[in-house]
Amino acid sequence: MAGPATRGLLATALPLIGKRVASGLLTLLLVSMVVFFIAQLLPGDMAQELLGQAATADAVAALREKFGLDRPAPERYLRWLVGMVTGDPGYSLVANMAVSDVIAARLPNSLLLAALSALVSVPVALTIGILSAMHRDARLDRGLNVATLSMVALPEFLVATLAVLVFSVQLRWLPSIALIPADASPWLVLRSLAMPILTLSVIVIAQMARMTRAAIIQQLSQPYVEMALLKGIKPARVVLTHVLPNAIGPIVNAMALSLSYLLGGAIIVETIFNYPGLASLMVNAVTSRDMPLLQACAMIFCTAYLLLVLIADTVAILANPRLRNR
Amino acid sequence: MNNHVEVRGLCVKAGTTTIVEDVGFSIPRGEVLALIGESGSGKTTIAMALMGYARLGCRIAGGSVRVGDTDVLSLDEDGLAALRGDRVSYIAQSAAASFNPSRRIMDQVVEPAVNHGRLDRKAAEAKAVTLFRSLALPNPESIGERYPHQLSGGQLQRLMAAMALITGPELVILDEPTTALDVTTQIEVLRAFKQAVRDQGATAVYVSHDLAVVAQMADAIVVLNKGRIRENGAAAQVLERPADEYTRTLMAAARPERAAVDAPKATAAPLLEIKGLNAAYGTTPILRDINLTIARGATLGVIGESGSGKSTLARVIAGMLPPSAGSIRFDGAGLPPSLSMRSREQFRRIQLVFQNADTALNPAHCVGEIIGRPLAFYHGLKGAAATRRVAELLDLIKLPASLAERPCGGLSGGQKQRINLARALAAKPDLIMCDEVTSALDTVVGAAILDLLADLKRELGLAYLFISHDIGTVRAIADDIMVLYAGTQVETGRRQGYHGVARHPYTDLLIGSVPELRPGWLEEQGDRPAPPAIGQPKDGADLCRFLPRCSWRVGGTCEEFTPPRHRTPGGNIILCHRPEGASEGAS
Amino acid sequence: MTNAIRSWVKALSGSGRLGLVLVVFWLLIASIGPFLAPYDPGAFVAHDVFAGFTGAHPLGSDYLGRDVLSRLLSGARYSVGLALAAALLASLAGITLALLTAVSPRWLDEGISRFMDTLISIPSKIFSLVLVAVVGSSLPLLLLVASITYMPGSFRIARSLAVNLAQMDYVQVARCRGEGAAYIAIREILPNMIHPMLADFGLRFVFIVLLLSGLSFLGLGVQPPDADLGSLVRENISGLGEAAPAILMPAIAIATLTVGVNLLIDALTGRGRRMAGKE
Ligand SMILES: Nc1ncnc2c1ncn2[C@@H]1O[C@H](COP(=O)(O)OP(=O)(O)OP(=O)(O)O)[C@@H](O)[C@H]1O
Ligand code: SF4
Ligand SMILES: [Mg+2]
């Protein structure tokens, strides 16, 4: 039984997943065009910017030639795209380093923060979402509803400043600046990351919990749930064995959206806590108009987002028998 | 204590409105009681209250329900959970929606037995297979491995019966279990249910709006209206000598009288003439070689089971789906295939009325706007003239003119359907295509709409293309009838031609499957003989689409060749290798 | 009229009424706030920087000794006004494009939808940062950036609504009547989109308030001498260690605005859902 079922699963799910991968790649390509061509709107160019207003036309032209800026836009786009794909997204004139080196120093920090926050927020969000869906319209649900509703609307800097005020100014438990020395022990790392993690979690937990609740409630109104109750199955069991398998698709999708926020949306949190992540790097790139760096960061975030969505789609396909075997 | 089930003074409320009031009845052990009534009469609410269950927003406000020795309404949540699915089980209206789409059938069928500790998983599966077999399901050994979406509605309905019977319940509640099925499937499912319930010796409650079905299943009948009992008695008495006025109305509507006068025999130039029409959605062919004519002022009834292509035919004529082959001529001139090529005058003369008035009327517009739009669009009528005409049209469909100001949201189903019709009338069309216009309505309301259609036809000389899945409805209004099966036109002819015995085998099955309004009819039908064995159908040949189900098929012919058209003695044209169709003849 | 409003308010849940009060309060502040300000928002009026709550300065003073209440009252105009305009622009553009795709030929629909899908795959903060880096952050450009950033989301919702509505029987009826695309889009589809799109407009407003104040907080939004609520938080960040009202109050102000809108929308859409369920 397992044999043919598994083979059937692969045979029918793979083309579907393949289609999603292809569509994701196409979207990524289009995104790269948008990112590249928006940057072209900038008046003046890198050479001009670098040499300043006083530079002679010859010097500017020479520099342009050196960086290939004199070539037509489509050609520059292609070069840039090939560079992105091969891991060489260009040269940051502001940092005077290869963009890849600048990013390599920051990316692990971002991933660490995102991973730890996900570890905290996903279980909490799932629990809240399931609990309030099961007690739909009861006092617990209404309370949680108002709470999560308010939490999603809070500005990050309010959460972060409150956290600092409470935990480092008043209680003096945690450091307010998330600078991690190179030789820090895991405990010290956790301590210094505690507040950024807390702030990020507060924001994504609310989002994820709301979407989880919505996905489950949408299923709870289906006739098969009533049928299960009329078969004498207890409500908690109905949710676990009947509803969750059907709600998995939308729930993972919600997770993907929220997790992508942990990477790119962490801008303000990273700034407040002086955390050397990718998002605050991107803010610096905006301030200094460091276009190659900015474009590379944007592409990383978009790729991460599309990757997460792709994973969510794959899970949804695998969880849905209608999609995987006809 | 000799009754198995006792209900006393049952009261169910939704907020402050009472939806079931003071309902009481009793059922002796092993008998079947039917709850019958129109939609909204509280049938399902009562059935669920028997299990101590009320839907979200409703609550059981009073009364008592006793099953055996158990006072159901005094049980706590755990007690109820132990009762439901074990001693009392439930078969829902739509099996397709009531099975969990992401779990295998077997998991769901054995769940009650395993959950209540009646059987271990292995024994439960064995019992399930036995039940599958006795319910005449195909491949009883392996059908449990499937997912719900891989099975047909009739199969799911029987699988749901297996799920309900697996614990050997003492009370089974069947809630409109065949309403979603085609008649030809319904008869098989009814037979399987009746047998299975009798084998178990269970008491049953059968909920339905269909008197003829109830006549086959019930020992006693309770007639409900607006949450109250109108009549309660033995099945034979209620069906033969109904005591209550309301019951008599129901009975009359269940047997529609012929509402229309016969149209004159086709005159020289037909209004609509279709030749060799084929249509497809994308690359999936749906309709094949359709030929029909409708005379001025005549009605063509189109009948066929769900998915046979009835609506598709109407869509093609309306221009929403260009045909892939064939011609449509209207009043002597060819009709362009697609919407963008038709003239406003062509649009005006053919109007389409949809099945579901709820979705056919824009909730953002009021009644006057809805009826007024065709007036302005086709006839340039505005201001006071338009208002006057709207009032006339409302009068024509027997609704008060004051309705014009109302949004259509708060109207009843019947009122909405009339407005739906008035909008078509406003165009002053020659042909109205009615797609299942009575199917979503209660029988009494539906019968009134049929009368209205017949009146309008007489007064305005309209021609109809009348689509329905119900042969009784079609007979009541149509002059000619066309039978569709899987997109092919298997039989066409005068209404009277269908009384004869020489019918197409599918027509025969269709007409023979409609239950009659008397007890014992189901038993008389006997088991349908299995289709005779034939050879392997020839690949690539355009064979008869009814072949897999046909009890009359001819070995060596039907699986080899495309069926020809024959004229039967009754004057109908059938698409079949047997010139005499479903009757013994000298072939 | 007043009766209708009264019963409308009465039907709101408790949290919905709180939301309504907050929303009305902020709309009032945004329109007449500057006239209520006790001091000139740019003047150095307090003896002390980062002062606490005092009678003379109810919300304390900022890092330069300016009156926080006055600065708040005049900053709200930027936060509310800009976001309102941007949300309106985003919603209107989204709805218009969605209606266009619902009644236009397949290729145009697919082209537009594909492009919007692309824009949606760029996380909104990232997208707005790239835009700001290129076009800068004058007030009109910020307005444009915010509405471009959130327009694709509005389009996606409006389109899925419009596509569903275009399948409805009453639209099919209109097609069979021979109606043109414009009539179908505007008279048959649009009226049924308004209610859900209003809710979406509210959400988009919240997102944009958060985005703009976030940008200002990063120094990339409203530029001095103008200051929105996010700028107020940024300029007083050094008061964090002292728990100065100057940093907390603007942040709380933004929160009451966004939370208020959210509560109100939830109460309204929740009520719509319940009423739909009852029928
Ligand atoms: N838009 C569509 N695209 C593809 N296939 C369709 C479409 N609409 C209908 N079909 C298919 O065409 C066939 C005929 O459908 P149609 O709606 O004409 O049947 P019907 O006889 O009206 O059925 P019912 O009684 O259920 O209304 C069915 O197999 C259906 O699945
Ligand atoms: S052609 Fe053959 S299979 Fe088809 S209906 Fe006639 S007898 Fe039956
Ligand atoms: Mg149909």
Side-chain angles (χ1 to χ4, degrees), chain B residues 281 286 305-312 355 436:
Chain B
Y281 285 111
I286 305 290
E305 60 192 20
S306 175
S308 57
K310 306 183 295 289
S311 301
T312 307
Q355 161 170 1
E436 306 263 17

Side-chain angles (χ1 to χ4, degrees), chain B residues 201-287:
Chain B
T203 307
V205 172
Y206 194 100
V207 176
S208 180
H209 70 281
D210 187 339
L211 278 166
V213 165
V214 162
Q216 312 313 317
M217 304 299 286
D219 300 303
I221 296 180
V222 169
V223 181
L224 293 161
N225 182 226
K226 299 192 178 124
R228 291 173 158 275
I229 292 190
R230 297 300 295 249
E231 178 160 9
N232 181 356
Q237 176 258 307
V238 173
L239 292 172
E240 280 154 26
R241 286 170 267 98
D244 185 82
E245 184 52 39
Y246 178 72
T247 315
R248 280 196 283 271
T249 329
L250 274 186
M251 300 274 296
R255 284 181 283 207
E257 302 261 309
R258 177 147 175 89
V261 289
D262 284 3
K265 193 84 176 150
T267 46
L271 184 64
L272 180 74
E273 184 171 26
I274 293 182
K275 284 217 177 85
L277 181 102
N278 286 21
Y281 285 111
T283 55
T284 340
I286 305 290
L287 294 176

Side-chain angles (χ1 to χ4, degrees), chain B residues 566-579:
Chain B
H566 288 289
R567 186 175 287 276
T568 64
N572 287 2
I573 310 272
I574 62 173
L575 183 72
C576 183
H577 282 295
R578 295 170 55 92

Side-chain angles (χ1 to χ4, degrees), chain A residues 36-37 68 70-82:
Chain A
F36 183 84
F37 286 101
D70 52 343
R71 317 255 100 206
E75 187 186 326
R76 275 181 293 137
Y77 167 69
L78 276 185
R79 278 195 198 185
W80 173 76
L81 188 65
V82 171

Side-chain angles (χ1 to χ4, degrees), chain A residues 1 5 136 223-224 226-227 229-234 237 241-243 245-246 319 321-322 324-326, chain B residues 48 51 53 55-56 78 81 84-85 90 97-103 108 111-112 115-116 145 147 149 163:
Chain A
M1 187 196 108
R136 179 173 30 159
Y224 74 82
E226 184 165 79
M227 190 66 221
L229 289 173
L230 290 175
K231 288 200 282 188
I233 302 172
K234 303 248 169 75
R237 221 182 122 78
T241 63
H242 281 273
V243 171
N246 287 296
R322 261 169 305 188
R324 82 178 120 86
N325 49 17
R326 286 166 200 280
Chain B
M48 289 187 158
M51 313 179 79
Y53 184 87
R55 289 209 162 127
L56 201 69
D78 284 349
R84 294 173 186 159
Y90 183 78
S98 298
F99 274 109
N100 188 331
S102 66
R103 298 183 66 196
Q108 304 188 49
E111 197 176 11
N115 184 54
H116 292 293
E145 293 308 317
Y147 285 96
H149 70 276
M163 181 160 83

Side-chain angles (χ1 to χ4, degrees), chain B residues 504-506 544-547 550-554 558 563 575-578:
Chain B
H504 187 277
Y506 173 67
C544 169
R545 299 209 180 157
F546 189 52
L547 179 65
C550 182
S551 319
W552 296 87
R553 57 196 186 185
V554 186
C558 292
L575 183 72
C576 183
H577 282 295
R578 295 170 55 92

Side-chain angles (χ1 to χ4, degrees), chain C:
Chain C
M1 185 63 197
T2 47
N3 269 341
I5 294 181
R6 197 171 303 145
S7 65
W8 183 81
V9 171
K10 233 181 208 145
L12 286 176
S13 62
S15 57
R17 266 180 246 176
L18 175 64
L20 181 65
V21 169
L22 289 172
V23 170
V24 171
F25 172 77
W26 280 110
L27 285 179
L28 275 179
I29 295 290
S31 37
I32 55 167
F35 307 109
L36 303 179
Y39 303 94
D40 174 0
F44 311 117
V45 286
H47 318 294
D48 218 357
V49 298
F50 291 137
F53 307 103
T54 60
H57 304 289
L59 298 182
S61 66
D62 78 348
Y63 75 118
L64 292 176
R66 293 174 294 194
D67 179 51
V68 172
L69 177 62
S70 307
R71 287 187 70 72
L72 230 163
L73 286 173
S74 57
R77 202 169 24 146
Y78 294 98
S79 284
V80 177
L82 260 186
L84 211 53
L88 211 58
L89 212 59
S91 283
L92 286 182
I95 294 177
T96 311
L97 276 176
L99 281 176
L100 187 66
T101 60
V103 294
S104 62
R106 187 74 169 266
W107 60 269
L108 187 59
D109 175 20
E110 271 174 14
I112 296 181
S113 299
R114 184 89 234 176
F115 182 62
M116 293 295 171
D117 275 351
T118 305
L119 294 190
I120 286 179
S121 337
I122 311 179
S124 48
K125 278 200 192 120
I126 308 298
F127 192 33
S128 56
L129 280 185
V130 174
L131 284 175
V132 164
V134 173
V135 302
S137 45
S138 68
L139 288 180
L141 288 174
L142 275 180
L143 178 88
L144 210 63
V145 166
S147 46
I148 293 180
T149 306
Y150 281 104
M151 190 266 281
S154 165
F155 167 81
R156 175 186 276 189
I157 296 200
R159 179 175 180 275
S160 80
L161 276 170
V163 165
N164 281 336
L165 289 170
Q167 297 305 316
M168 297 300 284
D169 285 348
Y170 52 81
V171 176
Q172 304 293 339
V173 170
R175 288 225 167 88
C176 294
R177 192 159 63 225
E179 301 279 6
Y183 175 88
I184 290 180
I186 293 168
R187 296 284 300 143
E188 300 282 350
I189 298 182
L190 181 61
N192 293 295
M193 285 169 65
I194 294 207
H195 203 89
M197 284 318 287
L198 271 180
D200 179 69
F201 167 76
L203 289 182
R204 235 145 271 283
F205 171 75
V206 170
F207 292 147
I208 293 179
V209 169
L210 292 177
L211 175 77
L212 289 178
S213 59
L215 283 178
S216 296
F217 176 77
L218 295 171
L220 302 171
V222 178
Q223 298 297 323
D226 297 330
D228 72 349
L229 298 176
S231 324
L232 297 188
V233 180
R234 173 190 172 80
E235 55 188 30
N236 293 305
I237 193 77
S238 55
L240 185 55
E242 309 167 31
I247 174 167
L248 266 184
M249 283 308 132
I252 289 177
I254 297 172
T256 52
L257 168 62
T258 52
V259 170
V261 176
N262 247 5
L263 290 177
L264 180 62
I265 297 173
D266 183 68
L268 290 178
T269 54
R271 191 168 64 172
R273 239 182 292 126
R274 270 194 298 281
M275 270 154 64
K278 251 181 211 157
E279 277 183 3

